[in-house]
Amino acid sequence: MALLLWILAVVLVVSGIVALLRSQVLWGIVLIIVGLLVGPGGVSIFGH
């Protein structure tokens, strides 16, 4: 499960960075924050 959360977090953060590069600032920030929250190192919304 932790590996799945890491992969999901990385995908969200990378998508957020891509959105920032495309001038979609709000969407990019939201994706990055959600990615950090989902990741096992962050405050996981799924609990441990």
Side-chain angles (χ1 to χ4, degrees):
M1 184 69 178
L3 178 63
L4 194 61
L5 287 177
W6 266 112
I7 294 170
L8 180 61
V10 169
V11 168
L12 286 169
V13 171
V14 169
S15 299
I17 292 170
V18 170
L20 285 175
L21 293 175
R22 293 183 173 184
S23 300
Q24 298 172 339
V25 177
L26 184 61
W27 187 235
I29 292 171
V30 168
L31 285 173
I32 291 171
I33 291 173
V34 170
L36 293 176
L37 288 175
V38 168
V43 183
S44 179
I45 56 176
F46 298 109
H48 286 236

